[in-house]
Amino acid sequence: MDAVLDTDWAAHWRGLVEARQALRAERAPGGDPWAVRAGDFARQVVIPRDWFMSVLEPWLRPTATLIDVGSGPGRYAAPLARRLDWVTAVEPSEPMRDRMPPADNLTVIGSSWEDAEPVPADLVICVHVLYGVADPVPFLEKLERSARERVFVVMRDSPHTIAGEVLGRLLAGSRPREPWLRDLLLLLRQLGIRPDLRLETYESTYRFASMEVAVEQCRHHVGPAWDEARGRAWLEANLRLDEDGSVRYDGGELTSGVLHWTPRT
Ligand SMILES: C[S@@+](CC[C@H](N)C(=O)[O-])C[C@H]1O[C@@H](n2cnc3c(N)ncnc32)[C@H](O)[C@@H]1O
């Protein structure tokens, strides 16, 4: 048995996603796992030297179009609309879509990528979305069909440093990991795709509107292993109050990366 060549990387991916799904005790409110995080997610802004923007830079021009798959509140879609002819954001979570800044050249499709029917664009990006997609092959094939020039997929390639995940590992002893970028590389190679790779290691910081919001989000993230007393005590010891009344968690070093390739056909 050859550990790389004889493994079905799509089945391996599904196993990782299903093990994570089993951690959730209950369905998220309204069935949308992102509803509780949308407000804090929107607070995060793209800094001018954002590493992924620098990877995109050679492809950006005023005549190009782009689809942002799983755009969230528009962390990339909004600044990219200022650099491109047209941006189509695909985002299933209504609270996330509600926080998207409007722009004349930005269309928002309110559905999952699997159900969306966007017209193809020059560029397709998909940033930190694939972790919960159990069946990645049709998802990736659709990214490829929808791009005329280049597909970019960003994922983490080290343990997530968000407070709920760190706390979850502490309270449960261990947690199954999510799919990482290296799993995607092996899956893309299995599909016959030869992507370029760029990895980036950076300091991670997460903001919450208040301590109560942090507790609620972490309770939801940790699932059945949540312990109210230990969870609160850990958050009170590890979150710092900012001047505007919000709290922040410095998660330390995180490695993420992008795999990007020219669509076949
Ligand atoms: C971690 S957020 C990333 C948002 C944005 N791409 C960014 O980097 O700021 C993940 C987003 O992917 C969306 N998402 C999850 N599954 C999706 C799917 N199957 N199709 C499209 N979007 C999805 C979620 O609703 C959420 O807004």
Side-chain angles (χ1 to χ4, degrees), residues 50-59 152 198 200 258 260:
D50 181 284
W51 71 271
F52 178 52
M53 284 298 261
S54 76
V55 174
L56 282 179
E57 195 62 39
W59 279 272
F152 300 83
R198 157 106 181 253
E200 187 79 11
V258 59
H260 57 109

Side-chain angles (χ1 to χ4, degrees):
M1 153 105 185
D2 182 306
V4 171
L5 298 181
D6 296 330
T7 296
D8 176 348
W9 293 103
H12 161 79
W13 183 289
R14 173 181 288 280
L16 292 173
V17 173
E18 287 180 350
R20 295 280 301 187
Q21 284 167 348
L23 290 176
R24 299 247 177 269
E26 57 203 46
R27 264 166 64 82
D32 176 3
W34 288 97
V36 287
R37 279 198 62 203
D40 291 300
F41 211 88
R43 230 176 289 263
Q44 297 171 2
V45 288
V46 178
I47 47 171
R49 282 193 300 282
D50 181 284
W51 71 271
F52 178 52
M53 284 298 261
S54 76
V55 174
L56 282 179
E57 195 62 39
W59 279 272
L60 301 182
R61 57 190 186 277
T63 53
T65 57
L66 176 142
I67 302 172
D68 183 357
V69 177
S71 64
R75 186 159 67 115
Y76 290 103
L80 285 170
R82 294 193 283 275
R83 302 283 311 277
L84 299 168
D85 179 47
W86 205 274
V87 170
T88 303
V90 179
E91 174 50 56
S93 165
E94 194 177 350
M96 285 284 196
R97 290 198 303 275
D98 287 348
R99 289 169 169 86
M100 175 82 72
D104 289 344
N105 61 342
L106 174 64
T107 307
V108 183
I109 298 179
S111 80
S112 69
W113 179 238
E114 291 84 337
D115 293 336
E117 292 177 5
V119 292
D122 297 316
L123 312 171
V124 172
I125 67 170
C126 182
V127 183
H128 293 306
V129 174
L130 274 170
Y131 307 105
V133 176
D135 197 5
V137 174
F139 194 106
L140 291 163
E141 287 172 345
K142 190 168 175 180
L143 294 180
E144 218 185 4
R145 276 200 310 280
S146 305
R148 284 188 289 265
E149 199 178 336
R150 201 79 179 164
V151 180
F152 300 83
V153 182
V154 173
M155 295 184 77
R156 289 181 287 278
D157 200 58
S158 62
H160 201 350
T161 53
I162 195 169
E165 188 65 24
V166 177
L167 194 44
R169 288 194 290 266
L170 202 78
L171 292 174
S174 69
R175 274 163 80 88
R177 73 169 174 88
E178 308 160 298
W180 289 352
L181 194 77
R182 69 188 75 174
D183 301 294
L184 180 62
L185 174 63
L186 289 160
L187 176 57
L188 292 177
R189 295 296 298 126
Q190 179 176 307
L191 297 176
I193 295 169
R194 285 175 295 161
D196 290 334
L197 165 69
R198 157 106 181 253
L199 288 174
E200 187 79 11
T201 298
Y202 49 92
E203 289 296 317
S204 58
T205 296
Y206 306 90
R207 285 180 195 285
F208 304 91
S210 66
M211 182 61 77
E212 279 317 302
V213 170
V215 170
E216 189 199 334
Q217 287 192 15
C218 289
R219 187 187 293 122
H220 172 73
H221 191 105
V222 170
W226 175 254
D227 175 320
E228 190 70 26
R230 287 180 68 200
R232 270 187 189 273
W234 187 90
L235 287 168
E236 278 161 15
N238 287 280
L239 265 51
R240 288 196 291 133
L241 187 63
D242 266 348
E243 283 164 6
D244 64 357
S246 66
V247 289
R248 61 186 273 182
Y249 174 65
D250 293 324
E253 262 189 8
L254 180 65
T255 299
S256 292
V258 59
L259 290 164
H260 57 109
W261 69 98
T262 302
R264 299 159 300 169
T265 31

